[in-house]
Amino acid sequence: MVYDKQNHTELVKTLDVYLESTCNLTQTAKSLFVHPNTLRNRLTHITELTGIDVKNAETCFKLASSFKVRAFLEKNKYVIDKSIPTTDPESDEFRLSDLDL
């Protein structure tokens, strides 16, 4: 999403519509009002950026599921805590060096 904003692209939307169209190129192109070659170029670009294979059924299933979860969370105004812990909270509780071996 950040990439799309910075580069004025619609790759996330393209991928979402592609997955909603059960990976059907013709249907996706019609839904996005783009030429099928434009869609192929966008999908190639997505693969180059992410390394994901949008032609793999299992990958598409996982992606479609994650898009649905994201939509659910957005619809229900779920706030994601973006803070990243800098320490392991469990690190002081157990250390291998504490074992009497």
Side-chain angles (χ1 to χ4, degrees):
M1 292 193 256
V2 173
Y3 180 89
D4 278 346
K5 285 182 183 179
Q6 290 176 345
N7 295 284
H8 309 288
T9 58
E10 294 186 328
L11 298 180
V12 173
K13 179 181 176 182
T14 298
L15 184 57
D16 192 20
V17 173
Y18 176 71
L19 296 169
E20 283 288 325
S21 302
T22 60
C23 304
N24 181 306
L25 290 173
T26 305
Q27 185 178 346
T28 305
K30 285 181 182 178
S31 295
L32 292 171
F33 303 102
V34 298
H35 192 276
N37 288 339
T38 301
L39 175 60
R40 285 185 192 92
N41 290 337
R42 288 183 186 180
L43 294 174
T44 299
H45 194 68
I46 290 168
T47 298
E48 290 171 353
L49 286 172
T50 64
I52 61 170
D53 181 5
V54 295
K55 295 178 184 176
N56 179 286
E58 185 175 345
T59 299
C60 287
F61 173 77
K62 290 175 183 178
L63 286 169
S65 298
S66 66
F67 271 75
K68 290 197 181 295
V69 168
R70 184 192 66 167
F72 173 82
L73 294 174
E74 287 176 353
K75 178 182 174 188
N76 291 289
K77 297 182 173 105
Y78 182 80
V79 178
I80 298 172
D81 181 13
K82 294 184 180 183
S83 64
I84 299 173
T86 57
T87 60
D88 182 0
E90 297 179 9
S91 65
D92 292 331
E93 293 178 17
F94 176 78
R95 294 185 188 123
L96 286 176
S97 61
D98 293 339
L99 293 176
D100 189 19
L101 299 174

